[in-house]
Amino acid sequence: MTPFERKVLTIVSRIPVGRVTTYGDVARLAGRPGAARAVGNIMRRGDRPGLPYHRVIAAGGALGGYSSLLLKRSLLAAEGLTVTPRRVVGFAKIRWPASAREASFGEVSPKRRANPGRGGGKGK
């Protein structure tokens, strides 16, 4: 598994119940804006039981691909979302992450990178 795939799956595992995100959002959060298609390919494999792959949808609230769109609609509806045959209703209100602060959860700021001699690192 590549580092990008690992990041994508970690991000998907953190999508809260009743919320959705887009393939593009996941790509951006994983550090590769514009790699929505690559995220879709990872989602298509869907080989990690228990991950909420159904919470990743296409831009604008469209359902996007899935092994079964009927199943995807059913899983999202079971989480309390309103879903038409082709899209999630109220997408903007349930989109995750909702703020810039949440969007940066996986990114490490320069101040937070490992810094020898300042807590947590191995001393000499």
Side-chain angles (χ1 to χ4, degrees):
M1 177 180 303
T2 69
F4 178 68
E5 289 171 326
R6 194 175 346 275
K7 285 180 186 177
V8 165
L9 296 177
T10 297
I11 291 162
V12 170
S13 74
R14 294 178 179 173
I15 305 168
V17 173
R19 302 288 295 276
V20 293
T21 194
T22 67
Y23 298 101
D25 290 339
V26 173
R28 182 179 41 79
L29 291 168
R32 289 190 45 201
R37 188 175 299 261
V39 169
N41 287 329
I42 295 167
M43 297 295 98
R44 183 178 56 220
R45 283 195 295 272
D47 58 357
R48 293 280 176 109
L51 284 185
Y53 296 103
H54 63 284
R55 295 181 191 145
V56 181
I57 64 175
L63 289 179
Y66 201 70
S67 58
S68 164
L69 286 182
L70 180 60
L71 176 60
K72 188 172 193 173
R73 278 194 301 273
S74 298
L75 291 169
L76 292 171
E79 293 183 3
L81 303 179
T82 302
V83 187
T84 70
R86 298 192 185 267
R87 67 180 50 260
V88 175
V89 176
F91 167 65
K93 291 182 181 180
I94 57 171
R95 188 175 189 174
W96 178 88
S99 70
R101 183 185 58 77
E102 286 182 78
S104 64
F105 77 89
E107 299 168 8
V108 179
S109 71
K111 290 182 180 180
R112 296 200 58 192
R113 288 197 176 109
N115 187 348
R118 290 194 66 183
K122 291 184 179 179
K124 289 185 179 181

